[in-house]
Each structure stands twice: as structure tokens, then as C-alpha cells.
């Protein structure tokens, strides 16, 4: 006999209607929970396969790393993940935007969705002078500000692996900052999250929204909380 709660479980990836065995979860549900927790930890600690990303990308991506010396320090010192490693040299040019693939807290997300998301976005940037793609490891979102400044790019788009959850380990986030430079606040960025088709936002929809935000930012000279996804709502 089918469980009448199966329809509810099938409608969401959230853990609902888990049942009970006495005062606790059924053993099968508890094991599923522990497996999900282990997968989330693996997603945080697995290194980004930079060589595989380079092989998928056209051109010659720039590789950088943050000031964090390794994963342990990256997790313990978020501030170091926002600064380029000492001695990093970037060749400045005249660019409107640079796109950064940053491992963040889920390198798996960048490996699964980074290149496809980047391609969908670049297709919509006609008229933009796009700098060489940058692959950044042990990277937080704000590292993109230093990268943009070093390359002479006015804006930065950071495609970053989001913090894994118990129901998703490969969600990608997009952070856009206009007039990027060191010291920018999070409120001065626009963010799209949970990009992971087919369960989250798709590449095409995310690229269209990001390109629209970028165009409006360039027209108005702002990004962040004063820039809305709907141009009609821009303050």
C-alpha cells in the first residue's frame, strides 16, 4: 500500500513527513540525514579541479588564489579569502567587466555549473569589453573586487560555490558589483542564488537577469540594494 504522504515528499526536496520510531526518527531517515551531512562536508573540503575547468574554457584563463594558505585557514580566516595572495600580479587593461569563477564553499558547484553559467552570461554581454576569465581558489566573493581593480575592469561578476545545505551541495551563486574596488560592502552587490538546474534556477534565466542588472548598473552608475531586478523598480 502506498504511503499517502509520498505526494507531499515528491513535491519538495525539503525533509518533510519523515515519520517516527518511538521518540526518534526511523533508522532509514536518520541514515539519510547523516549521509546528507557527510555529502555537505565533502562539498566544502573537496578541492576545485582547476585543470578540468581550464580545459573546458576557451582562451587562457587567469589563475589566482587568495591569501589563505589552504582550506583549513580559508575556513577559519574569512578575511584572508577576500584578499589576493601576496605577490599576485595581474596585467591591467581596459575592460568593462571581469568574470571570476570562485570555489567558495562548494567547489562542486563551480565544477557542475560554472562553465555553462559563464557561457550563458557571456552570450548576453554584447557591447561589453570582457576581461579574460579568472579562476580563483580559496576565494570569497569580495576577492573579485581586488581582481577587478588589478585587471582594470569597472565591474566584476563572481560565480561562486554557495554554502552546501542538507538538500543541495552544488548551488551556484552570482554576485555582481559595479565600480568594483577593495572595500566594497555586501550591500553594494547584487546576488542571484540557488543556480543548479533542474532543481534550482536555470542558466538562461540567471544569465538574463544578471545581464539586465549589469545594463542598468552601467546606466545608473550603481549596484546593490538601490538596483532592483525589475528596472521599473530601480530607485
Amino acid at each position: 500500500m502506498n504511503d499517502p504522504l509520498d505526494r507531499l515528499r515528491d513535491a519538495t526536496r525539503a525533509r518533510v513527513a519523515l515519520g517516527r520510531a518511538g521518540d526518534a526518527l526511523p533508522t532509514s531517515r536518520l541514515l539519510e540525514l547523516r549521509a546528507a551531512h557527510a555529502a555537505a562536508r565533502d562539498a566544502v573540503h573537496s578541492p576545485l579541479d582547476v585543470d578540468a575547468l581550464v580545459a573546458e574554457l576557451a582562451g587562457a584563463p587567469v589563475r589566482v588564489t587568495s591569501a589563505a594558505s589552504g582550506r583549513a585557514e580559508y575556513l577559519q580566516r574569512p578575511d584572508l579569502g577576500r584578499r589576493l595572495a601576496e605577490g599576485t600580479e595581474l596585467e591591467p587593461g581596459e575592460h568593462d567587466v571581469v568574470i571570476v569563477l570562485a570555489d567558495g564553499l562548494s567547489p562542486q558547484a563551480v565544477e557542475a555549473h560554472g562553465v555553462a553559467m559563464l557561457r550563458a552570461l557571456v552570450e548576453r554581454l554584447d557591447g561589453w569589453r570582457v576581461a579574460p576569465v579568472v579562476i580563483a581558489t580559496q576565494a570569497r566573493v569580495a576577492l573579485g573586487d581586488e581582481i577587478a581593480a588589478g585587471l582594470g575592469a569597472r565591474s566584476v561578476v563572481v560565480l561562486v560555490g554557495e554554502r552546501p545545505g542538507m538538500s543541495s551541495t552544488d548551488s551556484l551563486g552570482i554576485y555582481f558589483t559595479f565600480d568594483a574596488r577593495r572595500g566594497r560592502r555586501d550591500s553594494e552587490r547584487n546576488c542571484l542564488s540557488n543556480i543548479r538546474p533542474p532543481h534550482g534556477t536555470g542558466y538562461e534565466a540567471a544569465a538574463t537577469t544578471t545581464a539586465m542588472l549589469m545594463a542598468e548598473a552601467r546606466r545608473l552608475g550603481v549596484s546593490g540594494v538601490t538596483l532592483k531586478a525589475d528596472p521599473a523598480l530601480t530607485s
Side-chain angles (χ1 to χ4, degrees), residues 2-218:
N2 293 333
D3 187 334
L5 294 176
D6 282 346
R7 287 186 61 189
L8 178 60
R9 298 188 187 100
D10 291 342
T12 175
R13 291 175 63 82
R15 286 182 168 75
V16 296
L18 299 181
R20 58 190 300 171
D23 294 332
L25 288 172
T27 301
S28 60
R29 300 300 185 188
L30 181 61
L31 292 176
E32 290 173 3
L33 196 64
R34 289 183 175 178
H37 184 251
R41 289 179 59 88
D42 285 349
V44 172
H45 291 281
S46 299
L48 180 65
D49 190 342
V50 175
D51 290 337
L53 275 185
V54 170
E56 287 189 73
L57 293 167
V62 178
R63 305 186 191 196
V64 301
T65 188
S66 75
S69 59
R71 201 61 173 169
E73 189 172 46
Y74 169 80
L75 295 173
Q76 295 166 3
R77 292 282 307 275
D79 58 312
L80 296 181
R82 301 182 184 109
R83 291 159 37 195
L84 284 168
E86 187 175 355
T88 300
E89 295 184 0
L90 298 171
E91 185 175 346
E94 294 185 0
H95 311 292
D96 296 316
V97 64
V98 57
I99 301 175
V100 180
L101 292 169
D103 55 359
L105 289 169
S106 176
Q108 290 182 9
V110 180
E111 293 172 358
H113 307 296
V115 173
M117 185 63 249
L118 182 148
R119 287 173 178 159
L121 178 58
V122 169
E123 287 177 357
R124 290 162 172 78
L125 298 184
D126 188 32
W128 289 74
R129 296 173 298 176
V130 182
V133 173
V134 175
I135 299 174
T137 52
Q138 313 302 356
R140 304 274 175 177
V141 171
L143 188 69
D145 297 339
E146 286 200 8
I147 293 170
L151 289 173
R154 186 75 186 277
S155 305
V156 62
V157 176
V158 180
L159 310 184
V160 61
E162 296 180 330
R163 183 187 304 276
M166 298 293 279
S167 60
S168 77
T169 60
D170 64 343
S171 287
L172 190 75
I174 298 178
Y175 289 80
F176 168 69
T177 309
F178 180 78
D179 197 15
R181 59 183 184 277
R182 190 171 183 178
R184 278 297 201 186
R185 299 185 300 271
D186 289 343
S187 60
E188 295 172 307
R189 313 183 196 284
N190 291 94
C191 173
L192 284 74
S193 63
N194 195 33
I195 298 162
R196 56 183 190 101
H199 301 295
T201 304
Y203 307 136
E204 301 301 319
T208 297
T209 300
T210 303
M212 184 275 292
L213 286 168
M214 293 171 66
E216 286 300 292
R218 187 160 64 172

